[in-house]
Amino acid sequence: MVDKELIQHEVVLPYKKDSNLRGEHRWYHSITGKVAIYLMLGILIAYGVGSGAGVFEVNRISHEQWFKQAATNSQITSYIIRNIYTSVTVKSNHEGQVTSIESERPFYDDETVIQTGFDPADMLTLVSTQTHNPTWLLSYDKKKGFTNTQTSQKISITEGAANSSALKEYYRGFVFIDGKEYFVGSIPIVNFSGELIGAVISSIGERNALFATHNQLLKNTLLMLILILGITVVVVNWLVRNLFRPVPRLVQAVTLIADEQTDQVTPFQNQEDEIGELAKAIEKLRVAMVDRGYLQRMQEMAQKMEYMAHHDSLTLLPNRVAYRNSIDDRLLKLRTEGSIFNLLLIDLDNFKPVNDTYGHVVGDELLIESAARLSALLNEGDMAIRLGGDEFALIQLINDDSIFEAETLARRVLDTLNQPFTCSGHTFSISCSIGISCAPQHGNTREDLFAHADLALYTSKSFGRNCFHFYSHGMTMNPSNNLLFSKEIEDGIRKNEFFLHYQKITRLRNCSIEGYEALVRWQHPAKGLLQPHHFISVSEDIGLIARLGEWLIRSACMDAANWPTAKTVAVNVSPHQLRNPGILDIIRNALQDSGLDPARLEIEITGSEQLDREVILPTLNAIQALGVGIVLDEFGTGFATLDYLIIFPFSHIKIARSLIDVLDKCEDSQVLVGMLVRYALQRGLKVTAKGVETKQQFEYFASLSGEEITVQGYYFSRAVENASVMAELEQEKMESTCDL
């Protein structure tokens, strides 16, 4: 028990020895210093922005006034000159501003003086009297430039050499005259031939006089800023020091509470301000922490016991107890809300050999990894359970269609658990068998649903494992008779119950047809349409795969030989078939009997099972010698790795569907697929992307040297019967003929 008696006296905190709490560190690390700095920065920024804007506006207005005054003085000057020198003419711009004066002779030569009776000095004096500012008459020489007719000194532009020719045109700006800088308006004087002979300049004042107001404003602004900052520092430091004096001790009180030292009463609770309110709030927190600590330890203990009672200690998945509770809850919602669900029982195939061969440590790792893979497949509302041993269960919440959604999840479980496992340095592959019961179709009690799913699971095991079955009425626990199943397969071949579907393989370059992959189906008289996973593995177990494989190769060759255009056909061959000594004769005879060009046939080998180099390599070399292509399927996963491309004579690879499925979601998968494609193309291999189902996946492969890649998947076509293939190829043939 935690002692909840509080010590009801204020403890003097030893903050004098603690430099971090007292503020013996640098002043700008304290609250006082930071507040002072922030306020000063704020004032500095605000004042700087305001004063800067003011100075900018003063400059702008001043320059506008200078330019207007210079233009006015130029107008007055030109007006007086025209009254004195009646023979001159002027040019002006669209605003009426005189931009040049045309005169036959310079104003300062003797003949002009005699004709007008005006000396240039008299004219300049008259202009200066009208403008109240100095005026100068300049002469121009191509070598010397502009010079003052009164002092013979050279005139220069303040802005520098780049604007040295500014006086040759109408100009307003600063000019150096007789050692002083003036803001002037200058009008060029040209003869009637357009040659420059001088200029007349009227000033509005010296630079120092014009900038006197501006400089005084800057000086006053700077002095005011310094004064405000000084006052701010003094006032803020005084206020903040008095305001935040209790803060270090309150900080220490909170720190002690965070360290679960809750035996000291919080100081400063008697202050009648925000600090006092803060101290009282901290005290409430301390008292609450005392109570909370006790309750939390009790709650954690209860939660731990609850978790241990309902979860498997190895995989951390819910256990059988949680399974029963969850099923009962789902059944209650089924009756009250109509929420339907599925139960999937999963049994790992070949778990016992792995456990016996590699030991229980590897077996435990395999169970943990299997649990993680199953959990990753769940949607919201679904649940994964470990029932015990190598048995798992999935409770699937149904949104619309029980059968479709259960089948989709079951296929994903099969694909996921078929991927190779690596545990303690050992790599191996397993599979699983699945039995499915749907509520309420297959039962509305926990016992019925489990028993029916278990019957379906047993049926899956009887069909050779690595498959799934739904419960159906009449299922029993009697094991299937392999001899009977063998006869069913033989009868199916003889009665043409097996047939082929073909899935199109498309070139990315022009979306034309490259070829087709042959996919076998079985129209079972009692069980209906069966997919390959229902009978291929069983056929391998009972030794009928060679017979079935021979029918498949022969049928595919016969169909392809009758196609209207020469397209390739790919036939899946398992490693079991490659170990059969007669496989070479089967392929050779199928080609001879059908008349199919060997270059149009491809033998497709999955990488889900390790290939025996000593046995299979000679067989593949012999098949290649026939001119038949050899395809490595599911490249990038399982055993289908890069070293296979070096060891075995593959001419074509198919990127694994599992890598393509996550292209839209996983950037790492895009990098990996891109690397595999580039490597294969560099080795001169054909590349097919298998399982392309979305536009994004199609566009991704189109960006990877798309002209050399083929694609296959539902985005282009589902598997169709041979009659549809014939019609499609006939249509393509007609279109190509029309293009010619």
Side-chain angles (χ1 to χ4, degrees):
M1 293 289 292
V2 177
D3 188 2
K4 299 169 66 176
E5 182 178 350
L6 305 180
I7 301 175
Q8 298 296 330
H9 65 277
E10 179 175 330
V11 179
V12 177
L13 303 178
Y15 68 95
K16 292 184 178 180
K17 297 181 181 180
D18 190 348
S19 62
N20 289 329
L21 297 177
R22 188 185 174 204
E24 294 178 356
H25 40 55
R26 298 185 184 276
W27 70 273
Y28 49 81
H29 286 162
S30 65
I31 295 178
T32 303
K34 289 178 179 178
V35 171
I37 290 173
Y38 292 153
L39 286 176
M40 286 188 291
L41 286 175
I43 293 172
L44 184 62
I45 292 171
Y47 193 84
V49 171
S51 60
V55 170
F56 175 83
E57 189 64 16
V58 167
N59 281 339
R60 186 185 66 80
I61 294 173
S62 298
H63 279 78
E64 286 181 0
Q65 291 177 345
W66 297 346
F67 275 82
K68 289 180 180 178
Q69 185 61 43
T72 301
N73 287 355
S74 295
Q75 290 288 70
I76 294 172
T77 301
S78 65
Y79 176 78
I80 292 173
I81 289 174
R82 279 182 289 174
N83 286 333
I84 294 174
Y85 304 101
T86 57
S87 62
V88 303
T89 59
V90 298
K91 287 186 177 180
S92 59
N93 57 21
H94 64 281
E95 296 176 351
Q97 177 66 48
V98 175
T99 58
S100 66
I101 299 174
E102 293 183 346
S103 175
E104 184 178 2
R105 305 183 62 82
F107 298 156
Y108 47 81
D109 67 345
D110 295 338
E111 185 175 346
T112 303
V113 172
I114 293 171
Q115 288 179 356
T116 61
F118 270 86
D119 185 81
D122 297 332
M123 180 269 293
L124 295 176
T125 302
L126 180 60
V127 173
S128 297
T129 302
Q130 295 296 322
T131 62
H132 305 290
N133 281 291
T135 305
W136 298 270
L137 180 63
L138 308 181
S139 63
Y140 176 76
D141 184 87
K142 291 184 178 180
K143 294 181 179 180
K144 296 180 180 181
F146 288 96
T147 56
N148 190 342
T149 58
Q150 304 299 313
T151 62
S152 299
Q153 291 187 357
K154 187 175 180 179
I155 307 301
S156 61
I157 304 300
T158 300
E159 282 75 5
N163 293 322
S164 59
S165 62
L167 293 178
K168 295 179 181 180
E169 299 175 355
Y170 176 68
Y171 172 75
R172 287 177 295 179
F174 285 101
V175 177
F176 273 110
I177 302 176
D178 300 331
K180 296 181 180 180
E181 192 174 10
Y182 298 86
F183 192 95
V184 303
S186 171
I187 303 175
I189 302 174
V190 297
N191 59 25
F192 292 138
S193 299
E195 295 179 353
L196 183 67
I197 59 176
V200 59
I201 295 177
S202 59
S203 169
I204 67 169
E206 291 185 36
R207 172 185 281 273
N208 293 337
L210 293 174
F211 275 95
T213 303
H214 175 269
N215 294 336
Q216 186 63 39
L217 175 62
L218 290 179
K219 185 184 297 184
N220 293 340
T221 300
L222 181 60
L223 291 175
M224 185 62 68
L225 176 61
I226 294 173
L227 179 62
I228 290 175
L229 289 179
I231 295 173
T232 301
V233 170
V234 174
V235 173
V236 168
N237 271 280
W238 182 80
L239 290 174
V240 174
R241 283 183 180 275
N242 284 278
L243 178 63
F244 292 106
R245 182 177 57 85
V247 169
R249 295 179 65 185
L250 293 179
V251 170
Q252 187 184 33
V254 175
T255 303
L256 292 174
I257 293 174
D259 293 336
E260 298 184 354
Q261 299 178 26
T262 55
D263 57 343
Q264 296 181 0
V265 177
T266 307
F268 300 108
Q269 296 185 58
N270 57 346
Q271 286 195 199
E272 299 297 328
D273 55 14
E274 289 82 0
I275 293 294
E277 295 297 323
L278 177 61
K280 293 173 184 176
I282 294 174
E283 177 61 13
K284 289 181 181 179
L285 175 64
R286 185 185 70 84
V287 174
M289 286 292 291
V290 173
D291 296 331
R292 180 177 174 275
Y294 173 78
L295 295 175
Q296 185 175 7
R297 280 187 284 273
M298 294 299 100
Q299 185 178 12
E300 288 174 354
M301 183 66 71
Q303 288 176 349
K304 186 175 181 180
M305 295 177 64
E306 175 76 11
Y307 186 88
M308 293 174 60
H310 291 83
H311 287 78
D312 173 58
S313 59
L314 177 64
T315 63
L316 303 183
L317 289 179
N319 58 14
R320 280 186 178 271
V321 176
Y323 160 76
R324 289 196 295 269
N325 294 339
S326 180
I327 286 289
D328 291 340
D329 290 340
R330 302 293 176 107
L331 289 172
L332 178 61
K333 289 184 178 180
L334 174 64
R335 290 190 291 270
T336 58
E337 303 174 5
S339 259
I340 60 176
F341 64 93
N342 292 332
L343 173 62
L344 289 79
L345 295 185
I346 302 168
D347 190 82
L348 301 184
D349 301 331
N350 303 318
F351 172 76
K352 187 175 184 303
V354 171
N355 214 27
D356 294 343
T357 303
Y358 300 110
H360 293 289
V361 173
V362 174
D364 288 346
E365 291 183 21
L366 173 59
L367 291 173
I368 293 171
E369 177 62 19
S370 299
R373 294 187 184 186
L374 291 174
S375 298
L377 300 177
L378 302 182
N379 294 322
E380 186 177 356
D382 297 345
M383 183 178 184
I385 302 123
R386 185 190 178 199
L387 298 176
D390 60 346
E391 297 179 358
F392 296 87
L394 298 180
I395 300 176
Q396 181 187 28
L397 182 64
I398 301 304
N399 296 318
D400 186 19
D401 187 336
S402 296
I403 301 301
F404 175 76
E405 293 178 35
E407 183 175 358
T408 301
L409 179 57
R411 292 187 188 282
R412 294 178 63 196
V413 170
L414 291 174
D415 291 341
T416 298
L417 296 183
N418 273 334
Q419 301 300 317
F421 288 81
T422 300
C423 302
S424 296
H426 303 286
T427 301
F428 46 82
S429 295
I430 64 170
S431 59
C432 70
S433 301
I434 305 173
I436 307 171
S437 62
C438 306
Q441 298 97 307
H442 303 148
N444 51 18
T445 66
R446 184 192 341 133
E447 293 76 14
D448 286 345
L449 288 171
F450 187 89
H452 293 161
D454 200 32
L455 282 172
L457 173 62
Y458 195 88
T459 302
S460 295
K461 287 182 172 294
S462 300
F463 267 74
R465 307 184 179 188
N466 194 30
C467 61
F468 65 89
H469 280 83
F470 288 89
Y471 169 76
S472 62
H473 296 292
M475 279 186 174
T476 65
M477 281 293 188
N478 294 327
S480 60
N481 189 320
N482 284 347
L483 292 177
L484 178 60
F485 196 69
S486 172
K487 187 175 186 306
E488 288 181 349
I489 292 178
E490 290 179 346
D491 289 344
I493 295 173
R494 189 179 67 256
K495 296 177 181 179
N496 294 322
E497 293 172 358
F498 289 94
F499 60 94
L500 293 178
H501 276 179
Y502 295 92
Q503 187 171 43
K504 180 169 58 177
I505 302 172
T506 306
R507 296 188 190 96
L508 274 178
R509 180 177 66 252
N510 52 14
C511 290
S512 62
I513 301 171
E514 173 75 12
Y516 292 86
E517 178 183 351
L519 303 172
V520 63
R521 304 288 187 265
W522 185 7
Q523 189 63 48
H524 194 282
K527 301 181 177 67
L529 181 64
L530 299 181
Q531 300 291 328
H533 65 268
H534 289 123
F535 54 86
I536 292 295
S537 59
V538 180
S539 300
E540 292 174 345
D541 292 340
I542 63 179
L544 271 179
I545 191 63
R547 176 78 183 277
L548 182 58
E550 179 179 3
W551 172 88
L552 197 159
I553 294 172
R554 177 177 292 274
S555 298
C557 290
M558 289 293 184
D559 286 345
N562 292 318
W563 289 345
T565 57
K567 304 296 182 181
T568 61
V569 61
V571 180
N572 289 280
V573 175
S574 73
H576 288 271
Q577 292 172 263
L578 294 176
R579 298 187 188 101
N580 181 4
I583 184 63
L584 194 61
D585 290 334
I586 290 173
I587 296 174
R588 185 185 294 111
N589 292 337
L591 291 171
Q592 291 177 352
D593 293 346
S594 64
L596 183 69
D597 183 355
R600 293 179 55 198
L601 176 63
E602 290 185 327
I603 299 300
E604 193 166 310
I605 303 166
T606 182
S608 60
E609 185 177 340
Q610 192 166 11
L611 300 180
D612 187 343
R613 180 173 182 176
E614 294 183 0
V615 175
I616 293 180
L617 180 57
T619 302
L620 293 181
N621 286 332
I623 294 174
Q624 185 187 49
L626 294 175
V628 175
I630 303 175
V631 183
L632 177 58
D633 194 14
E634 295 296 326
F635 180 64
T637 60
F639 295 99
T641 53
L642 292 174
D643 58 340
Y644 268 24
L645 302 184
I646 300 173
I647 297 172
F648 299 101
F650 292 110
S651 58
H652 187 177
I653 65 167
K654 287 190 175 182
I655 303 296
R657 182 193 303 269
S658 58
L659 294 177
I660 296 174
D661 285 343
V662 296
L663 277 179
D664 302 343
K665 312 175 189 68
C666 179
E667 196 170 309
D668 290 341
S669 180
Q670 295 180 12
V671 175
L672 175 59
V673 170
M675 180 193 70
L676 295 176
V677 169
R678 285 189 289 272
Y679 176 78
L681 292 176
Q682 287 173 1
R683 291 185 59 86
L685 304 178
K686 295 166 61 179
V687 177
T688 297
K690 186 176 182 180
V692 175
E693 298 184 357
T694 67
K695 182 180 180 181
Q696 290 80 3
Q697 294 168 354
F698 167 73
E699 291 175 345
Y700 170 78
F701 283 103
S703 67
L704 295 178
S705 302
E707 294 186 358
E708 304 177 64
I709 300 175
T710 56
V711 288
Q712 173 184 356
Y714 287 171
Y715 183 74
F716 297 92
S717 172
R718 292 180 176 271
V720 296
E721 295 180 351
N722 186 52
S724 298
V725 172
M726 296 279 286
E728 186 175 42
L729 292 178
E730 192 66 47
Q731 178 67 26
E732 184 186 61
K733 182 178 180 181
M734 291 177 60
E735 290 176 355
S736 62
T737 303
C738 293
D739 292 339
L740 293 176

